PDB file of all heavy atoms in Angstrom:
ATOM      1  N   MET C 138     168.234  80.646  98.873  1.00 38.00           N
ATOM      2  CA  MET C 138     168.746  81.987  98.994  1.00 38.00           C
ATOM      3  C   MET C 138     169.766  82.063 100.123  1.00 38.00           C
ATOM      4  O   MET C 138     169.561  81.532 101.197  1.00 38.00           O
ATOM      5  CB  MET C 138     167.573  82.946  99.247  1.00 38.00           C
ATOM      6  CG  MET C 138     167.995  84.389  99.127  1.00 38.00           C
ATOM      7  SD  MET C 138     166.554  85.495  99.027  1.00 38.00           S
ATOM      8  CE  MET C 138     166.203  85.405  97.290  1.00 38.00           C
ATOM      9  N   GLU C 145     179.166  91.251 105.174  1.00 85.00           N
ATOM     10  CA  GLU C 145     178.407  91.870 104.097  1.00 85.00           C
ATOM     11  C   GLU C 145     177.453  92.912 104.622  1.00 85.00           C
ATOM     12  O   GLU C 145     177.293  93.985 104.042  1.00 85.00           O
ATOM     13  CB  GLU C 145     177.643  90.811 103.302  1.00 85.00           C
ATOM     14  CG  GLU C 145     178.560  89.901 102.461  1.00 85.00           C
ATOM     15  CD  GLU C 145     177.829  88.706 101.919  1.00 85.00           C
ATOM     16  OE1 GLU C 145     176.837  88.225 102.541  1.00 85.00           O
ATOM     17  OE2 GLU C 145     178.240  88.204 100.865  1.00 85.00           O
ATOM     18  N   GLU C 153     176.263 102.544 102.571  1.00 96.00           N
ATOM     19  CA  GLU C 153     175.062 103.391 102.686  1.00 96.00           C
ATOM     20  C   GLU C 153     175.403 104.701 103.403  1.00 96.00           C
ATOM     21  O   GLU C 153     174.929 105.779 103.038  1.00 96.00           O
ATOM     22  CB  GLU C 153     173.979 102.661 103.461  1.00 96.00           C
ATOM     23  CG  GLU C 153     173.290 101.546 102.681  1.00 96.00           C
ATOM     24  CD  GLU C 153     172.324 100.737 103.539  1.00 96.00           C
ATOM     25  OE1 GLU C 153     171.936 101.227 104.644  1.00 96.00           O
ATOM     26  OE2 GLU C 153     171.984  99.615 103.125  1.00 96.00           O
ATOM     27  N   PHE C 162     176.671 116.373 101.274  1.00 91.00           N
ATOM     28  CA  PHE C 162     177.652 117.320 100.691  1.00 91.00           C
ATOM     29  C   PHE C 162     177.102 117.936  99.391  1.00 91.00           C
ATOM     30  O   PHE C 162     177.236 119.128  99.183  1.00 91.00           O
ATOM     31  CB  PHE C 162     178.963 116.615 100.396  1.00 91.00           C
ATOM     32  CG  PHE C 162     179.817 116.366 101.608  1.00 91.00           C
ATOM     33  CD1 PHE C 162     180.240 115.119 101.931  1.00 91.00           C
ATOM     34  CD2 PHE C 162     180.188 117.425 102.422  1.00 91.00           C
ATOM     35  CE1 PHE C 162     181.029 114.873 103.046  1.00 91.00           C
ATOM     36  CE2 PHE C 162     180.992 117.214 103.555  1.00 91.00           C
ATOM     37  CZ  PHE C 162     181.423 115.916 103.847  1.00 91.00           C
ATOM     38  N   MET C 165     174.682 120.607 100.142  1.00 87.00           N
ATOM     39  CA  MET C 165     175.329 121.830 100.609  1.00 87.00           C
ATOM     40  C   MET C 165     175.936 122.601  99.454  1.00 87.00           C
ATOM     41  O   MET C 165     175.882 123.849  99.438  1.00 87.00           O
ATOM     42  CB  MET C 165     176.417 121.469 101.635  1.00 87.00           C
ATOM     43  CG  MET C 165     175.834 120.892 102.935  1.00 87.00           C
ATOM     44  SD  MET C 165     177.100 120.176 103.969  1.00 87.00           S
ATOM     45  CE  MET C 165     177.842 121.662 104.634  1.00 87.00           C
ATOM     46  N   GLU C 173     170.145 126.637 106.796  1.00 91.00           N
ATOM     47  CA  GLU C 173     169.387 125.500 107.352  1.00 91.00           C
ATOM     48  C   GLU C 173     169.882 124.184 106.779  1.00 91.00           C
ATOM     49  O   GLU C 173     170.092 123.240 107.524  1.00 91.00           O
ATOM     50  CB  GLU C 173     167.901 125.673 107.063  1.00 91.00           C
ATOM     51  CG  GLU C 173     167.028 124.653 107.782  1.00 91.00           C
ATOM     52  CD  GLU C 173     165.553 124.909 107.549  1.00 91.00           C
ATOM     53  OE1 GLU C 173     165.128 126.080 107.631  1.00 91.00           O
ATOM     54  OE2 GLU C 173     164.840 123.931 107.333  1.00 91.00           O
ATOM     55  N   GLU C 176     173.441 123.574 108.325  1.00 89.00           N
ATOM     56  CA  GLU C 176     173.404 123.162 109.744  1.00 89.00           C
ATOM     57  C   GLU C 176     172.923 121.718 109.894  1.00 89.00           C
ATOM     58  O   GLU C 176     173.487 120.926 110.613  1.00 89.00           O
ATOM     59  CB  GLU C 176     172.558 124.108 110.557  1.00 89.00           C
ATOM     60  CG  GLU C 176     173.222 125.454 110.744  1.00 89.00           C
ATOM     61  CD  GLU C 176     172.317 126.498 111.364  1.00 89.00           C
ATOM     62  OE1 GLU C 176     171.139 126.147 111.708  1.00 89.00           O
ATOM     63  OE2 GLU C 176     172.735 127.656 111.478  1.00 89.00           O
ATOM     64  N   LYS C 191     183.076 103.559 113.596  1.00 95.00           N
ATOM     65  CA  LYS C 191     182.750 102.406 114.425  1.00 95.00           C
ATOM     66  C   LYS C 191     182.709 101.131 113.574  1.00 95.00           C
ATOM     67  O   LYS C 191     183.253 100.093 113.955  1.00 95.00           O
ATOM     68  CB  LYS C 191     181.406 102.610 115.127  1.00 95.00           C
ATOM     69  CG  LYS C 191     181.454 103.588 116.266  1.00 95.00           C
ATOM     70  CD  LYS C 191     180.090 103.793 116.882  1.00 95.00           C
ATOM     71  CE  LYS C 191     180.098 104.852 117.964  1.00 95.00           C
ATOM     72  NZ  LYS C 191     178.766 105.151 118.499  1.00 95.00           N
ATOM     73  N   PHE C 200     187.134  91.026 111.450  1.00 77.00           N
ATOM     74  CA  PHE C 200     186.897  90.339 110.184  1.00 77.00           C
ATOM     75  C   PHE C 200     188.078  90.415 109.210  1.00 77.00           C
ATOM     76  O   PHE C 200     187.881  90.229 107.999  1.00 77.00           O
ATOM     77  CB  PHE C 200     185.635  90.868 109.516  1.00 77.00           C
ATOM     78  CG  PHE C 200     184.403  90.624 110.332  1.00 77.00           C
ATOM     79  CD1 PHE C 200     183.792  91.676 110.983  1.00 77.00           C
ATOM     80  CD2 PHE C 200     183.855  89.362 110.462  1.00 77.00           C
ATOM     81  CE1 PHE C 200     182.647  91.486 111.760  1.00 77.00           C
ATOM     82  CE2 PHE C 200     182.734  89.141 111.227  1.00 77.00           C
ATOM     83  CZ  PHE C 200     182.112  90.196 111.862  1.00 77.00           C
ATOM     84  N   GLU C 203     188.431  87.561 106.870  1.00 76.00           N
ATOM     85  CA  GLU C 203     187.356  87.370 105.895  1.00 76.00           C
ATOM     86  C   GLU C 203     187.359  88.419 104.787  1.00 76.00           C
ATOM     87  O   GLU C 203     186.576  88.302 103.860  1.00 76.00           O
ATOM     88  CB  GLU C 203     185.992  87.392 106.614  1.00 76.00           C
ATOM     89  CG  GLU C 203     185.805  86.243 107.586  1.00 76.00           C
ATOM     90  CD  GLU C 203     184.488  86.367 108.318  1.00 76.00           C
ATOM     91  OE1 GLU C 203     183.470  86.681 107.680  1.00 76.00           O
ATOM     92  OE2 GLU C 203     184.484  86.129 109.542  1.00 76.00           O
ATOM     93  N   THR C 207     192.833  94.834 100.533  1.00 87.00           N
ATOM     94  CA  THR C 207     192.536  95.969  99.665  1.00 87.00           C
ATOM     95  C   THR C 207     191.237  96.649 100.086  1.00 87.00           C
ATOM     96  O   THR C 207     191.117  97.888  99.924  1.00 87.00           O
ATOM     97  CB  THR C 207     192.460  95.556  98.173  1.00 87.00           C
ATOM     98  OG1 THR C 207     191.557  94.459  98.040  1.00 87.00           O
ATOM     99  CG2 THR C 207     193.836  95.167  97.630  1.00 87.00           C
ATOM    100  N   GLN C 216     187.523 106.897 104.257  1.00 95.00           N
ATOM    101  CA  GLN C 216     187.333 107.614 105.532  1.00 95.00           C
ATOM    102  C   GLN C 216     188.178 108.889 105.561  1.00 95.00           C
ATOM    103  O   GLN C 216     187.712 109.933 106.020  1.00 95.00           O
ATOM    104  CB  GLN C 216     187.763 106.729 106.697  1.00 95.00           C
ATOM    105  CG  GLN C 216     186.772 105.652 107.097  1.00 95.00           C
ATOM    106  CD  GLN C 216     187.304 104.869 108.247  1.00 95.00           C
ATOM    107  OE1 GLN C 216     187.983 103.880 108.059  1.00 95.00           O
ATOM    108  NE2 GLN C 216     187.047 105.315 109.427  1.00 95.00           N
ATOM    109  N   GLY C 225     186.966 120.594 105.074  1.00 82.00           N
ATOM    110  CA  GLY C 225     186.721 121.620 104.065  1.00 82.00           C
ATOM    111  C   GLY C 225     185.395 122.346 104.248  1.00 82.00           C
ATOM    112  O   GLY C 225     185.312 123.563 104.049  1.00 82.00           O
ATOM    113  N   ALA C 231     186.751 131.408 101.804  1.00 50.00           N
ATOM    114  CA  ALA C 231     185.680 131.444 100.787  1.00 50.00           C
ATOM    115  C   ALA C 231     186.125 130.741  99.503  1.00 50.00           C
ATOM    116  O   ALA C 231     185.282 130.164  98.804  1.00 50.00           O
ATOM    117  CB  ALA C 231     185.261 132.890 100.503  1.00 50.00           C
ATOM    118  N   LEU C 252     185.476  97.300  94.450  1.00 87.00           N
ATOM    119  CA  LEU C 252     186.277  96.251  95.131  1.00 87.00           C
ATOM    120  C   LEU C 252     185.389  95.215  95.771  1.00 87.00           C
ATOM    121  O   LEU C 252     185.598  94.018  95.658  1.00 87.00           O
ATOM    122  CB  LEU C 252     187.197  96.872  96.160  1.00 87.00           C
ATOM    123  CG  LEU C 252     188.456  97.511  95.673  1.00 87.00           C
ATOM    124  CD1 LEU C 252     189.153  98.241  96.830  1.00 87.00           C
ATOM    125  CD2 LEU C 252     189.393  96.458  95.118  1.00 87.00           C
ATOM    126  N   HIS C 256     184.742  91.076  94.489  1.00 69.00           N
ATOM    127  CA  HIS C 256     185.164  89.988  95.368  1.00 69.00           C
ATOM    128  C   HIS C 256     183.994  89.408  96.165  1.00 69.00           C
ATOM    129  O   HIS C 256     184.182  88.487  96.900  1.00 69.00           O
ATOM    130  CB  HIS C 256     186.223  90.490  96.365  1.00 69.00           C
ATOM    131  CG  HIS C 256     187.517  90.795  95.681  1.00 69.00           C
ATOM    132  ND1 HIS C 256     187.804  92.066  95.226  1.00 69.00           N
ATOM    133  CD2 HIS C 256     188.583  90.033  95.379  1.00 69.00           C
ATOM    134  CE1 HIS C 256     189.015  92.052  94.677  1.00 69.00           C
ATOM    135  NE2 HIS C 256     189.497  90.845  94.757  1.00 69.00           N
TER     136      HIS C 256
END
Side-chain angles (χ1 to χ4, degrees):
M138 191 166 275
E145 290 168 331
E153 288 172 17
F162 283 124
M165 294 169 76
E173 188 175 317
E176 290 171 2
K191 287 178 185 176
F200 299 106
E203 296 177 42
T207 53
Q216 284 180 269
L252 280 173
H256 292 92

